PDB file of all heavy atoms in Angstrom:
ATOM      1  N   MET A 119       0.836  -1.183   0.027  1.00 32.00           N
ATOM      2  CA  MET A 119      -0.015   0.008   0.041  1.00 32.00           C
ATOM      3  C   MET A 119       0.877   1.265   0.000  1.00 32.00           C
ATOM      4  O   MET A 119       1.882   1.291   0.668  1.00 32.00           O
ATOM      5  CB  MET A 119      -0.842   0.023   1.285  1.00 32.00           C
ATOM      6  CG  MET A 119      -2.128  -0.756   1.068  1.00 32.00           C
ATOM      7  SD  MET A 119      -3.237  -0.565   2.432  1.00 32.00           S
ATOM      8  CE  MET A 119      -2.599  -1.832   3.477  1.00 32.00           C
ATOM      9  N   THR A 120       0.432   2.250  -0.729  1.00 31.00           N
ATOM     10  CA  THR A 120       1.259   3.409  -0.781  1.00 31.00           C
ATOM     11  C   THR A 120       0.495   4.519  -0.026  1.00 31.00           C
ATOM     12  O   THR A 120      -0.762   4.482   0.087  1.00 31.00           O
ATOM     13  CB  THR A 120       1.469   3.913  -2.174  1.00 31.00           C
ATOM     14  OG1 THR A 120       0.202   3.976  -2.810  1.00 31.00           O
ATOM     15  CG2 THR A 120       2.417   2.980  -2.981  1.00 31.00           C
ATOM     16  N   ILE A 121       1.285   5.462   0.356  1.00 34.00           N
ATOM     17  CA  ILE A 121       0.610   6.604   1.082  1.00 34.00           C
ATOM     18  C   ILE A 121       1.109   7.848   0.425  1.00 34.00           C
ATOM     19  O   ILE A 121       2.261   8.030   0.211  1.00 34.00           O
ATOM     20  CB  ILE A 121       0.873   6.478   2.551  1.00 34.00           C
ATOM     21  CG1 ILE A 121      -0.052   7.432   3.287  1.00 34.00           C
ATOM     22  CG2 ILE A 121       2.248   6.794   2.952  1.00 34.00           C
ATOM     23  CD1 ILE A 121      -0.573   6.752   4.491  1.00 34.00           C
ATOM     24  N   VAL A 144      -7.755   4.804   3.607  1.00 95.00           N
ATOM     25  CA  VAL A 144      -8.553   3.672   3.163  1.00 95.00           C
ATOM     26  C   VAL A 144      -7.753   2.760   2.212  1.00 95.00           C
ATOM     27  O   VAL A 144      -6.846   3.255   1.499  1.00 95.00           O
ATOM     28  CB  VAL A 144      -9.843   4.177   2.418  1.00 95.00           C
ATOM     29  CG1 VAL A 144     -10.815   4.736   3.493  1.00 95.00           C
ATOM     30  CG2 VAL A 144      -9.578   5.150   1.366  1.00 95.00           C
ATOM     31  N   GLY A 145      -8.137   1.503   2.282  1.00 93.00           N
ATOM     32  CA  GLY A 145      -7.308   0.480   1.611  1.00 93.00           C
ATOM     33  C   GLY A 145      -7.608   0.321   0.145  1.00 93.00           C
ATOM     34  O   GLY A 145      -6.740  -0.172  -0.560  1.00 93.00           O
ATOM     35  N   GLN A 169      -4.546   6.687   0.526  1.00 90.00           N
ATOM     36  CA  GLN A 169      -4.666   5.241   0.415  1.00 90.00           C
ATOM     37  C   GLN A 169      -3.718   4.666   1.493  1.00 90.00           C
ATOM     38  O   GLN A 169      -2.515   4.967   1.550  1.00 90.00           O
ATOM     39  CB  GLN A 169      -4.278   4.784  -0.996  1.00 90.00           C
ATOM     40  CG  GLN A 169      -4.717   3.324  -1.178  1.00 90.00           C
ATOM     41  CD  GLN A 169      -4.577   2.912  -2.585  1.00 90.00           C
ATOM     42  OE1 GLN A 169      -3.661   3.267  -3.299  1.00 90.00           O
ATOM     43  NE2 GLN A 169      -5.507   2.056  -2.972  1.00 90.00           N
ATOM     44  N   GLY A 170      -4.263   3.786   2.288  1.00 90.00           N
ATOM     45  CA  GLY A 170      -3.414   3.207   3.334  1.00 90.00           C
ATOM     46  C   GLY A 170      -4.291   2.599   4.430  1.00 90.00           C
ATOM     47  O   GLY A 170      -5.493   2.788   4.470  1.00 90.00           O
ATOM     48  N   GLY A 171      -3.637   1.889   5.347  1.00 90.00           N
ATOM     49  CA  GLY A 171      -4.354   1.208   6.423  1.00 90.00           C
ATOM     50  C   GLY A 171      -4.014   1.891   7.741  1.00 90.00           C
ATOM     51  O   GLY A 171      -3.528   2.989   7.806  1.00 90.00           O
ATOM     52  N   LEU A 172      -4.260   1.060   8.834  1.00 91.00           N
ATOM     53  CA  LEU A 172      -4.056   1.668  10.105  1.00 91.00           C
ATOM     54  C   LEU A 172      -2.628   1.983  10.428  1.00 91.00           C
ATOM     55  O   LEU A 172      -2.302   3.001  11.071  1.00 91.00           O
ATOM     56  CB  LEU A 172      -4.581   0.670  11.196  1.00 91.00           C
ATOM     57  CG  LEU A 172      -6.031   0.727  11.451  1.00 91.00           C
ATOM     58  CD1 LEU A 172      -6.475  -0.476  12.356  1.00 91.00           C
ATOM     59  CD2 LEU A 172      -6.418   2.007  12.044  1.00 91.00           C
ATOM     60  N   SER A 173      -1.671   1.162   9.909  1.00 89.00           N
ATOM     61  CA  SER A 173      -0.308   1.453  10.222  1.00 89.00           C
ATOM     62  C   SER A 173       0.233   2.701   9.474  1.00 89.00           C
ATOM     63  O   SER A 173       0.913   3.483  10.059  1.00 89.00           O
ATOM     64  CB  SER A 173       0.594   0.243   9.969  1.00 89.00           C
ATOM     65  OG  SER A 173       0.570  -0.076   8.557  1.00 89.00           O
ATOM     66  N   GLU A 174      -0.305   2.969   8.275  1.00 91.00           N
ATOM     67  CA  GLU A 174       0.029   4.185   7.586  1.00 91.00           C
ATOM     68  C   GLU A 174      -0.546   5.397   8.339  1.00 91.00           C
ATOM     69  O   GLU A 174       0.119   6.422   8.494  1.00 91.00           O
ATOM     70  CB  GLU A 174      -0.427   4.172   6.161  1.00 91.00           C
ATOM     71  CG  GLU A 174       0.380   3.304   5.183  1.00 91.00           C
ATOM     72  CD  GLU A 174      -0.018   1.869   5.244  1.00 91.00           C
ATOM     73  OE1 GLU A 174      -0.949   1.493   6.023  1.00 91.00           O
ATOM     74  OE2 GLU A 174       0.613   1.058   4.536  1.00 91.00           O
ATOM     75  N   GLY A 193     -10.215  -3.038   6.929  1.00 88.00           N
ATOM     76  CA  GLY A 193     -10.112  -4.140   5.950  1.00 88.00           C
ATOM     77  C   GLY A 193      -8.647  -4.635   5.820  1.00 88.00           C
ATOM     78  O   GLY A 193      -7.796  -3.795   5.674  1.00 88.00           O
TER      79      GLY A 193
END
Side-chain angles (χ1 to χ4, degrees):
M119 274 187 274
T120 54
I121 195 136
V144 288
Q169 192 169 38
L172 278 173
S173 60
E174 284 82 2

